[in-house]
Amino acid sequence: MRFHGSLSAAMASSIAVCRLPMRGSLSKCFKKVDSCFQRKFGTSTAATKTDAPNKKYTIDSKDGNKSFYTVQEEKIEQAERSVLISCPAKTNEKKFLNYLSRHGDINKCFFYESYGTYAVVEFSNKESLVSLHEGTAIPSINHEATVPFKSRLLSLRNTGPVDMSNGQSAPQCQPQTTIHINDLIQRLSKENSIDQQISSLTETYQLTEENVCLRFLVCSLLKDIAAAYFPECTIRPFGSSVNGFGKLGCDLDMFLDLDGISGRNLKRPKAGLSLEYQTKRSASERACTQSILSVIGECVDQFGPGCVGVQKILQARCPLVRFAHQPSGFQCDLTANNRVAMKSSELLYLYGGLDRRVRCLVFSVRCWARAHSITSSIPGAWISNFSLTVMVLFFLQRRTIPILPTLDHLKELAGPLDKSVIEGNDCTFVSDVTKIQLQDNTETLEQLLQEFFEFYSTFAFNRMSINIRKGREQNKPEVSPLHIQNPFEPALNVSKNVNGTQLERFVALCRESAWMLQQREFNVPHSGSGTGNNAPWGLAALLMPSVSQVAGVKGRKKRKREPASERIKGLLESLKNREVKS
């Protein structure tokens, strides 16, 4: 819808959209803006607060039965019509949108904070971006020192006496990070059942639709830089950003996709003349990937607005470029042609969309694991979020009435178009979810959470491997504390980094968490429910950090009690004191 309200001549002459200086980190590409903003721009800001509540990114509601790649392509296309604009803190939203609407119809817009206030604006068509670029100035700080790089990361400037705020408070900003664990525990303690607690945790932690939009836009902005070398390339997000299990604040993993460049699979005539491009050959595919990432990483470092701390980690098993994108607040990892990782994202997306309990259980287990330092954002011997997710999927396949099908079964349902072989590995599985018939399992989230802890507290980790392709335990093919077979690369153990100490801590915490959920002191709401002073119970009690956790591994060895035991002792004493006071 176009904003028809015209601004005064003074207003029109006083506002200009300017480029951000070229220093700092590259603006993250926003590939597609999701259909998450139902706001009517002709209404006032106050009205939009009530008419457009903050919506969460769910893969099984608006997207319906769309395939993973259909959704991705839609978001990428939306991101290509979008811009990211740095705004003054107190920007009049209506005037801001009226000004931009001179360049074309606006579909969606939202504000957020990250080293300042930013707005994501999606136009109805790309022609609007051409008009916007024509009316955008390059900063004249120093003509020789400023690189005239034109991206879709812009700054809103007020060049005249007109007050952009017009006495209005700052626009409503969408959250980009999760709440603190203590605030989460208080929120969950006010719920009336463990099922409600699990649902509330998922709703609180999962990516919002706005945040997903921003991630695709950052990828799209980065593609604008890579396109200088590969005009038909695409940069796609993968992992937590798109698989449905992403948590607010998670890193942005993306890869440079060169497979879609025309000419790769061009059919040549059997006879006669034909043309082909002249190219250079590298010593190996790995060397080629390293060269590509090295050049793009250097360009991002030198010319990418908003990108800071660029590191070219080219000797890793999977070469990558790592940097922080300040305008979005994301920590970014860029790889090249990471097709297996994309198939893993698609598989998790499919599993998460089959049954709402899947995502709820994964979010709860991962939050529980982070609260007790079973997982960590620092590389090391900890269990990874991906490994934990696979463990949840495997557990749901092993129910008496399975909630999820095996990967082999999904392969059996696949059609000819689903065929996928990557680097010699068969990555085929069905993409049409309507072909998948689920069994009638009616277990509650509370039952599943308790059974998850019991399942892994007695699992034969010393002998057995976890395999979601077969949906059953198998003898471990190697000597390692925890063996989880990679779904698409069977020879790889995705948990090879985990040491015996970390696995023992995981098993011990599973055992005591299962015990806590069986005790009445912990598994029912306490008196005063609904007030602001609730004792932790249920899932909230499970998230209470252990007393000795901050002391580290060395500190734990000096203590006679295990961390989980200390947690239980503290919680019981808290409950007793509360009962005495009441």
Side-chain angles (χ1 to χ4, degrees):
M1 123 190 68
R2 180 179 296 275
F3 294 90
H4 297 288
S6 61
L7 300 178
S8 65
M11 184 69 186
S13 63
S14 64
I15 305 175
V17 179
C18 304
R19 294 284 173 192
L20 281 177
M22 298 313 301
R23 303 168 184 167
S25 69
L26 168 68
S27 137
K28 294 190 170 183
C29 297
F30 176 85
K31 290 246 176 193
K32 281 191 177 186
V33 185
D34 194 28
S35 56
C36 46
F37 317 111
Q38 304 302 323
R39 177 181 337 202
K40 301 299 183 182
F41 291 119
T43 62
S44 65
T45 303
T48 60
K49 292 181 180 180
T50 57
D51 296 340
N54 183 32
K55 297 186 178 181
K56 293 289 182 173
Y57 175 61
T58 55
I59 62 177
D60 57 349
S61 57
K62 253 189 307 212
D63 295 331
N65 293 325
K66 293 179 182 178
S67 72
F68 175 77
Y69 285 103
T70 297
V71 174
Q72 299 309 300
E73 291 304 317
E74 289 178 355
K75 295 182 186 297
I76 289 172
E77 193 276 330
Q78 290 171 353
E80 294 293 332
R81 295 185 271 107
S82 303
V83 293
L84 182 59
I85 302 177
S86 173
C87 304
K90 291 186 178 181
T91 297
N92 185 301
E93 185 174 359
K94 184 175 180 179
K95 290 183 177 180
F96 172 73
L97 292 172
N98 279 336
Y99 171 70
L100 291 180
S101 68
R102 297 186 306 173
H103 300 284
D105 295 345
I106 296 174
N107 281 353
K108 304 156 192 172
C109 174
F110 69 91
F111 292 81
Y112 70 92
E113 292 183 345
S114 174
Y115 298 94
T117 302
Y118 286 85
V120 172
V121 181
E122 179 198 332
F123 287 95
S124 297
N125 55 69
K126 287 187 177 181
E127 287 72 19
S128 299
L129 297 182
V130 176
S131 173
L132 185 67
H133 277 299
E134 291 175 349
T136 301
I138 295 176
S140 56
I141 302 173
N142 185 317
H143 178 69
E144 298 298 328
T146 301
V147 179
F149 177 73
K150 293 186 175 183
S151 75
R152 283 175 286 137
L153 175 59
L154 315 172
S155 289
L156 180 69
R157 303 298 187 202
N158 189 347
T159 59
V162 176
D163 182 12
M164 266 299 288
S165 66
N166 198 25
Q168 187 182 34
S169 60
Q172 182 183 17
C173 291
Q174 299 297 329
Q176 301 299 310
T177 57
T178 57
I179 63 175
H180 190 274
I181 184 66
N182 292 337
D183 296 328
L184 176 66
I185 290 173
Q186 291 182 10
R187 179 177 298 184
L188 299 185
S189 299
K190 299 176 183 179
E191 301 292 347
N192 296 319
S193 70
I194 292 180
D195 276 45
Q196 291 179 6
Q197 288 182 329
I198 295 174
S199 296
S200 178
L201 182 147
T202 304
E203 178 68 18
T204 301
Y205 266 30
Q206 67 187 347
L207 296 180
T208 62
E209 294 183 6
E210 291 85 353
N211 192 266
V212 173
C213 292
L214 182 58
R215 290 170 185 271
F216 275 89
L217 179 53
V218 170
C219 290
S220 184
L221 294 175
L222 190 61
K223 188 223 63 172
D224 290 345
I225 292 179
Y229 302 95
F230 309 101
E232 300 174 18
C233 72
T234 302
I235 291 184
R236 301 179 182 275
F238 69 93
S240 296
S241 295
V242 295
N243 64 22
F245 297 99
K247 171 186 171 183
L248 277 173
C250 67
D251 293 348
L252 173 57
D253 296 315
M254 46 191 167
F255 77 95
L256 175 66
D257 186 0
L258 304 178
D259 289 343
I261 295 178
S262 61
R264 282 187 174 272
N265 301 311
L266 185 67
K267 293 183 179 180
R268 301 182 183 181
K270 295 181 179 180
L273 302 177
S274 68
L275 291 173
E276 65 180 18
Y277 293 98
Q278 292 191 17
T279 60
K280 279 192 172 182
R281 294 179 62 89
S282 295
S284 64
E285 181 180 353
R286 178 178 174 83
C288 183
T289 298
Q290 290 172 325
S291 298
I292 291 171
L293 290 177
S294 178
V295 171
I296 293 178
E298 187 67 23
C299 193
V300 168
D301 189 20
Q302 297 297 325
F303 308 124
C307 294
V308 297
V310 178
Q311 304 175 61
K312 294 184 285 187
I313 310 174
L314 304 179
Q315 300 305 320
R317 177 180 175 270
C318 183
L320 61 96
V321 175
R322 175 169 295 165
F323 60 93
H325 185 250
Q326 286 186 334
S328 63
F330 296 143
Q331 182 70 37
C332 303
D333 284 349
L334 173 67
T335 57
N337 284 334
N338 201 346
R339 291 168 289 172
V340 173
M342 199 64 179
K343 290 299 290 186
S344 296
S345 301
E346 181 185 2
L347 179 64
L348 296 188
Y349 174 93
L350 185 148
Y351 273 134
L354 291 177
D355 190 304
R356 66 171 295 272
R357 292 172 294 179
V358 178
R359 296 178 67 249
C360 288
L361 192 60
V362 168
F363 272 100
S364 298
V365 170
R366 281 167 47 159
C367 183
W368 165 85
R370 179 54 62 91
H372 300 294
S373 299
I374 294 173
T375 59
S376 174
S377 58
I378 304 173
W382 296 275
I383 299 175
S384 69
N385 277 331
F386 180 73
S387 293
L388 269 181
T389 302
V390 174
M391 293 173 79
V392 173
L393 300 180
F394 181 75
F395 161 74
L396 296 175
Q397 291 174 337
R398 297 290 290 141
R399 307 307 298 142
T400 303
I401 301 177
I403 293 177
L404 292 178
T406 66
L407 181 52
D408 276 349
H409 180 65
L410 296 179
K411 178 182 176 181
E412 293 172 358
L413 298 175
L417 296 179
D418 295 321
K419 183 69 175 178
S420 176
V421 178
I422 302 174
E423 299 173 0
N425 298 301
D426 192 347
C427 303
T428 303
F429 60 89
V430 65
S431 59
D432 184 358
V433 296
T434 61
K435 295 181 179 180
I436 304 173
Q437 300 297 319
L438 301 177
Q439 300 188 46
D440 189 19
N441 180 300
T442 59
E443 291 176 288
T444 65
L445 286 169
E446 178 180 355
Q447 290 173 314
L448 291 174
L449 184 62
Q450 180 174 332
E451 291 289 336
F452 172 86
F453 291 130
E454 292 182 359
F455 181 83
Y456 284 111
S457 66
T458 59
F459 190 84
F461 288 107
N462 60 326
R463 296 184 295 105
M464 294 298 178
S465 169
I466 293 171
N467 183 354
I468 65 171
R469 178 169 286 279
K470 301 295 182 183
R472 62 175 182 270
E473 300 90 334
Q474 293 185 314
N475 292 327
K476 284 202 295 189
E478 63 181 44
V479 179
S480 59
L482 177 60
H483 190 280
I484 303 175
Q485 187 183 94
N486 187 304
F488 298 121
E489 298 177 278
L492 296 182
N493 173 14
V494 301
S495 57
K496 193 177 182 65
N497 63 300
V498 180
N499 62 28
T501 301
Q502 293 299 322
L503 180 60
E504 288 173 6
R505 288 193 64 242
F506 171 75
V507 172
L509 284 164
C510 281
R511 185 179 302 115
E512 297 213 38
S513 295
W515 178 85
M516 288 173 65
L517 289 176
Q518 295 172 357
Q519 311 306 308
R520 180 173 176 79
E521 295 91 337
F522 297 116
N523 65 9
V524 295
H526 303 300
S527 58
S529 178
T531 66
N533 192 24
N534 300 96
W537 68 278
L539 178 59
L542 296 184
L543 300 181
M544 293 290 290
S546 57
V547 176
S548 60
Q549 184 171 307
V550 293
V553 176
K554 292 183 180 179
R556 284 194 295 272
K557 290 182 178 179
K558 297 179 182 179
R559 297 176 180 268
K560 294 182 179 180
R561 293 180 182 273
E562 289 293 323
S565 299
E566 290 287 346
R567 183 174 81 257
I568 293 173
K569 177 184 175 183
L571 285 169
L572 287 172
E573 290 179 351
S574 175
L575 292 173
K576 290 179 181 177
N577 293 336
R578 188 174 296 277
E579 290 176 357
V580 170
K581 291 180 180 180
S582 60

